[in-house]
Amino acid sequence: MRVINFTFFILLFLITTAKASELQIKWRTNLLVPRPDIASSGSHVCFDEQGTQIVKDGAEDPSDVAFSNDGLTYVIGNILSDGINNRIIAYKLTTPFDLDTVKNDCSQFRFNPWKDMTTETNTRVESIRFNRDGTKFFIVNENGEIFSYNLSTPFDLSTRSYITELDLSGSRISIEFSGDGMQLFKLDGKNLDPTIEVYDLPGPYDTSSATLNYTLDLNGTEIETLQSPAHMQALDFEFNDTGSAIYILAQTTSPGNDTGFSKSAIFQYNMAANYDISSVKFKGRWNVVFDPSDDHAGIGKPYGFAFSTSGMKLFVTNHRTGANQVDRTNEYTLECPYGIYECTSDARSNLGAQVELAKQNISLNTSTIFKRFEWIKRNRNKENLNNFSLDIDTNNRLLIALKNNLQASLNNKKSKTDKKKRKSDWSFWNHADISFGSFDKTSFEKAKQIRTRGLTFGADKKYNENKYFGTAIRYGNSGADIKHAPQGVYLESLTLNFYGTIPIDQYRYTNAVFGLSTLRFDQKFLGKKTGGRKGQQAFTSLNFRSKKTYGNLNLTPSGRFNYGITNLSHFTDFISTAKSGTDIIYDEENFESGEIAAGFLFDINEMKVPDGRIFRPNGGFEMIFDISPKMSFNHSNVGGTKTNTAQIEKYSQKKLKGNLGFEAVYENGFTFSINYEKIMHKDRARSYSHQDTFLFKLGHVDNNISEFAMNYDPNQNNKTEINYTKKFNNFDLNLNSNYSLFSKIPEYGANIEIIGEF
């Protein structure tokens, strides 16, 4: 045997894969303006909103850019224009955020905003902005006046209606809004004393009035001191998607002309709290470089810039003056979200996705078990589940006494049957569930799509009049794709459920579920795993029912209570492969979740089909109240000294849940059912979300010999074992699982064993 020393190769690998000192910002392409005359080919003639024939692009002097959320609408504002008609131009793209795919046809739209009002003159357009959902559009002119529009169709400027004007005065004005739209930020780019002012608004994106709250003086900051000559003019600024970082574009007061190079840069500042510019901390800058293939790559003035929705692309305008110079918008690809100098990760959206996936794991497990309860209710008179073998192995004296009494009671009932032909009459069933959820963005979280698939195997039996006990194992696979982001969260879960029905009195009873889950989260960036997180979960659910029914639909009232505790381990999200200090460490966290619900269930009387099947429609309706307490998660950058706290808010307090399905019962003991569930809720920001779930169930009542045992040992980390043995002619099927409760390092497993005798 040869032993090869790989030390040299490992060292070489580590050297070649070491993180670079700078993030990569790659110039990709540019959009040249004006574009060729689209009417010159004679194939078509296009007109602007005023009915004037379009003979050239009109975006002669670009001042600012903006995109729709889907990246298919690109809007540009102009300092000057073709005459007075083309201050705002919107282009359509065939590929999101790809300037090479601009449609050079009549799909472009242009208008002069000053013609929408009678009191304004033809002034420069300095800044343009959409609100988050594209239902409002804002234009700022050279006098510091902000004009707002409503858009009846999001991001469609042809559906605009003028609202109001807000006069804040100033020069080289650019504006931004906080995530909830309750604050307006105004950059006043004075040559020698630039400032950012913060205004409180009366309502989300309501610019009918504004109250000055705070002023950040940029004079003497890195924007002034890190450039020679010292003074720079601030031109535009942007927040990242969460408001944890701010980016300011500035250029020297003598930026150069057609024969020189402008000295401009984008400066990145991070903030201790989202949108809190009073806590800005300088991180670094990127010197703007235009088309590197151009012999005069530095020529021009970068008046405005914008990021794509995911933060993975950067767009910078280039205003060139002089003969034979063409204005353009430059497109850059970034290595990571908002990676001008340092990556920023959307920690709140990532954590929100983890919380939602964990809560859905509880919801889907309990929903599956409660579907089983309803089957038992409808078929209780057709089952002969009256024998039960129970073995509790424990050193606890109280449990030993309980075991002896319970076993004696069971043995007394068993003595009435032939011991050699003990039949447990266990019912076996399985459920397959598929769930699709769509969650709109809120003030602090991005929108996300959640998909879940699950498979459940269970067994239960009747061991006393109207008393049932069962256990089930569910495997779940879930994924949360965060919209307009390169990141996603994925979950694998394995859950052991115990459930039973206990009568309260002659007419009322309680269905109870207790579950233990092990969770494994994968954090992914551009499809590659960047971090992993483990979790444990314990939950219970109580369903209070009545045997009384009302009306032809057999309506029965129902009340439900859910409560769960989830523990998530600490982990590091290695977001950047290029620059140290940008990876994020998440602390170990525990959080609680809970719901109370009230509603009704129905099941229509069974209908017999000629082939022997019994067909039963069923369903229900619930009003759900989320009683989960506030959730806070701590995270920090690798090498950093400050810990940030992300508050995960409830998506909504109230939900509506409805389900409809049917069940088919066959003469051979098999049952098949399908149910469709829909959960709808709406948050405070008028965002809407829903979750659609399809559950498929196959069950069978069997009379072969079987035995069930539960072993519990409190002296070994409260180790609990579940064993189930069933005989199939010459074969024995053994199913067992174990879980160590309350252990820091949980032990959890499940085994299947088949033994044959010949």
Side-chain angles (χ1 to χ4, degrees), residues 61-354:
D61 300 277
S63 58
D64 202 8
V65 293
F67 287 86
S68 60
N69 287 342
D70 61 9
L72 295 176
T73 299
Y74 165 70
V75 182
I76 191 166
N78 300 292
I79 299 174
L80 301 177
S81 67
D82 174 22
I84 62 173
N85 293 326
N86 303 318
R87 291 297 190 183
I88 307 293
I89 301 178
Y91 299 97
K92 293 296 183 181
L93 309 179
T94 58
T95 302
F97 300 105
D98 185 350
L99 296 185
D100 284 336
T101 65
V102 169
K103 292 183 178 180
N104 197 17
D105 56 19
C106 293
S107 64
Q108 61 177 294
F109 176 80
R110 59 188 69 197
F111 74 97
N112 182 1
W114 317 135
K115 288 191 175 183
D116 291 338
M117 52 208 81
T118 58
T119 60
E120 294 303 319
T121 59
N122 189 40
T123 55
R124 296 158 51 115
V125 172
E126 299 283 3
S127 179
I128 55 176
R129 288 291 184 272
F130 289 104
N131 69 337
R132 282 205 163 192
D133 61 8
T135 56
K136 289 183 181 290
F137 183 63
F138 304 89
I139 301 172
V140 185
N141 71 359
E142 60 187 288
N143 301 320
E145 298 167 317
I146 303 172
F147 304 92
S148 59
Y149 293 83
N150 279 332
L151 304 181
S152 58
T153 300
F155 300 103
D156 186 350
L157 296 178
S158 67
T159 66
R160 73 189 184 280
S161 58
Y162 175 68
I163 306 174
T164 187
E165 170 192 341
L166 176 65
D167 188 359
L168 297 181
S169 71
S171 60
R172 279 307 314 167
I173 299 299
S174 179
I175 63 170
E176 269 287 3
F177 294 90
S178 59
D180 57 5
M182 294 300 295
Q183 287 188 315
L184 168 68
F185 299 82
K186 185 196 81 170
L187 170 66
D188 192 339
K190 300 171 185 175
N191 287 354
L192 301 180
D193 191 18
T195 61
I196 296 181
E197 297 173 343
V198 185
Y199 293 85
D200 294 329
L201 301 180
Y205 303 99
D206 181 359
T207 57
S208 59
S209 63
T211 303
L212 181 63
N213 179 295
Y214 178 79
T215 300
L216 172 66
D217 188 355
L218 297 176
N219 188 32
T221 65
E222 292 77 12
I223 291 177
E224 295 286 333
T225 59
L226 292 186
Q227 184 71 46
S228 178
H231 293 297
M232 298 189 75
Q233 182 179 23
L235 301 174
D236 194 12
F237 76 115
E238 296 273 347
F239 289 109
N240 67 344
D241 52 358
T242 61
S244 63
I246 186 172
Y247 304 85
I248 303 174
L249 170 65
Q251 65 179 3
T252 59
T253 53
S254 300
N257 49 38
D258 296 339
T259 60
F261 296 89
S262 67
K263 296 179 180 179
S264 56
I266 297 178
F267 297 78
Q268 178 180 344
Y269 294 82
N270 287 359
M271 292 169 283
N274 292 348
Y275 300 103
D276 179 13
I277 64 171
S278 66
S279 62
V280 294
K281 180 180 179 181
F282 177 67
K283 302 302 294 185
R285 66 173 182 169
W286 171 66
N287 293 326
V288 177
V289 177
F290 292 134
D291 184 354
S293 63
D294 193 331
D295 291 338
H296 301 286
I299 294 177
K301 300 177 182 180
Y303 275 117
F305 74 105
F307 292 100
S308 63
T309 312
S310 66
M312 295 297 290
K313 282 192 175 183
L314 169 70
F315 301 86
V316 183
T317 64
N318 183 3
H319 175 205
R320 292 185 172 188
T321 59
N324 300 320
Q325 295 299 332
V326 180
D327 299 326
R328 45 189 94 204
T329 300
N330 287 261
E331 176 185 328
Y332 304 83
T333 58
L334 306 180
E335 182 182 352
C336 54
Y338 303 93
I340 294 297
Y341 179 81
E342 180 179 275
C343 304
T344 65
S345 176
D346 188 357
R348 190 184 294 265
S349 292
N350 292 335
L351 291 168
Q354 293 176 15

Side-chain angles (χ1 to χ4, degrees), residues 691-731:
Q691 179 182 344
D692 301 272
T693 304
F694 295 89
L695 299 102
F696 308 88
K697 172 180 171 288
L698 181 65
H700 183 240
V701 179
D702 195 71
N703 292 322
N704 289 307
I705 298 175
S706 56
E707 185 171 305
F708 180 87
M710 180 175 71
N711 305 315
Y712 172 66
D713 189 345
N715 295 323
Q716 294 186 16
N717 290 325
N718 298 285
K719 186 174 183 179
T720 303
E721 293 183 350
I722 300 296
N723 294 279
Y724 172 69
T725 302
K726 182 175 180 59
K727 291 185 177 296
F728 295 93
N729 298 323
N730 295 326
F731 293 92

Side-chain angles (χ1 to χ4, degrees), residues 372 375-376 379 382-385 424-431 456-462 471 499 663-673 696-706 724 726-728 733:
R372 178 60 179 175
W375 182 91
I376 291 174
N379 295 274
K382 295 180 173 60
E383 295 180 288
N384 184 26
L385 308 177
S424 62
D425 288 344
W426 279 82
S427 294
F428 300 92
W429 57 275
N430 59 69
H431 250 294
T456 306
F457 294 93
D460 49 49
K461 75 176 297 294
K462 178 180 179 181
T471 183
Y499 60 94
E663 176 184 81
V665 181
Y666 296 84
E667 291 182 338
N668 60 6
F670 280 95
T671 64
F672 173 76
S673 65
F696 308 88
K697 172 180 171 288
L698 181 65
H700 183 240
V701 179
D702 195 71
N703 292 322
N704 289 307
I705 298 175
S706 56
Y724 172 69
K726 182 175 180 59
K727 291 185 177 296
F728 295 93
L733 172 65

Side-chain angles (χ1 to χ4, degrees), residues 32 39 175 279 463 555 605 672:
L32 301 177
I175 63 170
S279 62
Y463 66 91
L555 295 175
N605 293 332
F672 173 76

Side-chain angles (χ1 to χ4, degrees), residues 337-516:
Y338 303 93
I340 294 297
Y341 179 81
E342 180 179 275
C343 304
T344 65
S345 176
D346 188 357
R348 190 184 294 265
S349 292
N350 292 335
L351 291 168
Q354 293 176 15
V355 169
E356 189 61 38
L357 289 175
K359 292 171 68 174
Q360 283 197 13
N361 183 64
I362 296 176
S363 176
L364 290 170
N365 272 280
T366 56
S367 182
T368 298
I369 300 300
F370 284 139
K371 292 293 185 297
R372 178 60 179 175
F373 282 132
E374 291 307 302
W375 182 91
I376 291 174
K377 171 179 173 290
R378 290 189 294 268
N379 295 274
R380 68 174 74 240
N381 296 327
K382 295 180 173 60
E383 295 180 288
N384 184 26
L385 308 177
N386 55 0
N387 291 310
F388 185 67
S389 175
L390 176 68
D391 178 22
I392 301 179
D393 183 10
T394 176
N395 295 322
N396 186 290
R397 292 184 178 181
L398 179 62
L399 290 179
I400 290 174
L402 176 63
K403 165 208 160 183
N404 293 336
N405 291 334
L406 181 57
Q407 193 66 58
S409 174
L410 295 172
N411 291 339
N412 181 50
K413 294 183 178 181
K414 290 180 183 180
S415 63
K416 299 178 181 180
T417 63
D418 184 359
K419 293 184 179 180
K420 293 184 179 180
K421 297 181 179 180
R422 288 183 309 182
K423 295 189 176 181
S424 62
D425 288 344
W426 279 82
S427 294
F428 300 92
W429 57 275
N430 59 69
H431 250 294
D433 58 85
I434 303 174
S435 179
F436 306 90
S438 177
F439 295 79
D440 278 357
K441 61 185 174 184
T442 65
S443 301
F444 299 99
E445 284 188 44
K446 288 183 178 178
K448 51 183 172 285
Q449 294 278 357
I450 292 181
R451 301 180 305 277
T452 302
R453 295 167 294 178
L455 186 61
T456 306
F457 294 93
D460 49 49
K461 75 176 297 294
K462 178 180 179 181
Y463 66 91
N464 200 347
E465 186 64 29
N466 296 324
K467 292 183 180 180
Y468 295 83
F469 174 82
T471 183
I473 295 177
R474 179 183 181 273
Y475 168 77
N477 189 308
S478 309
D481 293 326
I482 301 173
K483 287 186 177 181
H484 309 302
Q487 294 167 285
V489 180
Y490 302 88
L491 168 66
E492 282 189 295
S493 62
L494 187 63
T495 305
L496 178 62
N497 296 280
F498 303 95
Y499 60 94
T501 298
I502 304 173
I504 300 175
D505 54 32
Q506 184 179 356
Y507 300 104
R508 295 175 301 166
Y509 61 95
T510 300
N511 295 325
V513 180
F514 175 70
L516 298 168

